[in-house]
Amino acid sequence: MSEESNAKQNNGHRGMDRRFVLGAGAVAAAAVGGGLVGAAASPPASSPSGTQGEIDTNLNQASHLFELTAAERDNYDGGYLQGANEDTFPILRGQQGSVYFVHLEVGGLREPHWHPSAWELNYIISGKARWTILGTHPEGGYRNDVFEAGQGDLVFAPQGHFHYFENASPTDPLEVLVIFNTSAKEPNDDIGIVASLNAMPRSVLAAAFGVPESAFASLPTEIKPVVITRHR
């Protein structure tokens, strides 16, 4: 990478430790590479992004470099996302892989959600994250895994499992690299708790929770993605 590119990345993200970038890059390579191995073993006849021949040609023509932390930010109240998907990083077309850099300010949190068609690996670059991952209940009770993850830790959220994470530090931002086994743009592949509750009739929510319908009177009625927000 040229000195000019290095300068741009350093200016865009001064707090990132090189060791953790390299470690996160290795995780991303393993995740996306695993998808490539699977594809080689059983190549699909076609892909939403083109035929296999077009995908193979793209792998030899598109740039292999993407300056993630210099990419355009999706800004929210509480933090921002920067993403490498098949739209922003064309070499990922047909590879069923995408990578995101997530920055949460103090008090910031990722909206509770689940991904119906993807798992995710989360590498903590810096800071401290508080997590909840809700699994299924084959033995009668839900598995609700609540924990904190710190710098250098890796967290796996299985496909379809309800989860969230937030910045657990009262003083420092949280930075996370997230790898998905989907080419879909984040958050197009997630279903959030705000939209989920708003999509249900208040009478149904009241019956499910066993409380009066009036308990949900103050819920907003607009169904839209929240993605990142903060504690009030």
Side-chain angles (χ1 to χ4, degrees):
M1 188 181 294
S2 67
E3 293 182 1
E4 181 182 353
S5 296
N6 279 329
K8 181 165 63 172
Q9 289 212 24
N10 289 336
N11 289 336
H13 182 59
R14 296 183 176 86
M16 184 177 291
D17 188 306
R18 177 179 295 273
R19 290 173 301 168
F20 292 103
V21 174
L22 293 175
V27 172
V32 178
L36 292 174
V37 170
S42 180
S46 62
S47 159
S49 301
T51 65
Q52 189 61 46
E54 291 170 338
I55 291 171
D56 291 342
T57 298
N58 180 61
L59 290 175
N60 290 300
Q61 293 180 345
S63 174
H64 293 78
L65 173 66
F66 184 81
E67 296 178 339
L68 181 61
T69 58
E72 182 179 356
R73 294 179 179 181
D74 291 334
N75 293 304
Y76 303 92
D77 181 21
Y80 61 84
L81 295 175
Q82 292 170 288
N85 53 61
E86 63 181 9
D87 292 332
T88 60
F89 193 17
I91 202 167
L92 291 180
R93 289 174 187 163
Q95 301 307 310
Q96 297 303 306
S98 54
V99 183
Y100 284 83
F101 175 75
V102 182
H103 176 96
L104 295 184
E105 301 290 350
V106 172
L109 61 93
R110 177 72 173 91
E111 179 196 9
H113 64 285
W114 66 92
H115 301 279
S117 61
W119 51 250
E120 65 182 75
L121 279 166
N122 299 262
Y123 180 79
I124 312 301
I125 298 170
S126 65
K128 183 168 61 175
R130 182 176 297 113
W131 276 83
T132 292
I133 300 177
L134 180 65
T136 55
H137 48 94
E139 298 176 355
Y142 283 101
R143 183 188 179 191
N144 188 30
D145 199 6
V146 180
F147 55 91
E148 288 192 353
Q151 188 178 65
D153 289 341
L154 190 63
V155 178
F156 180 68
Q159 177 177 328
H161 283 217
F162 189 63
H163 62 280
Y164 99 106
F165 65 89
E166 65 178 298
N167 186 349
S169 171
T171 57
D172 300 316
L174 171 67
E175 295 171 342
V176 182
L177 189 74
V178 187
I179 301 101
F180 295 98
N181 66 329
T182 178
S183 298
K185 179 182 179 182
E186 173 75 358
N188 294 358
D189 185 58
D190 74 57
I191 300 174
I193 190 172
V194 175
S196 299
L197 291 177
N198 286 337
M200 298 294 107
R202 299 301 189 254
S203 59
V204 172
L205 293 175
F209 281 89
V211 298
E213 190 172 335
S214 59
F216 300 94
S218 60
L219 282 179
T221 57
E222 185 176 6
I223 299 178
K224 64 178 182 179
V226 174
V227 188
I228 292 174
T229 186
R230 68 168 69 240
H231 289 283
R232 307 298 176 186

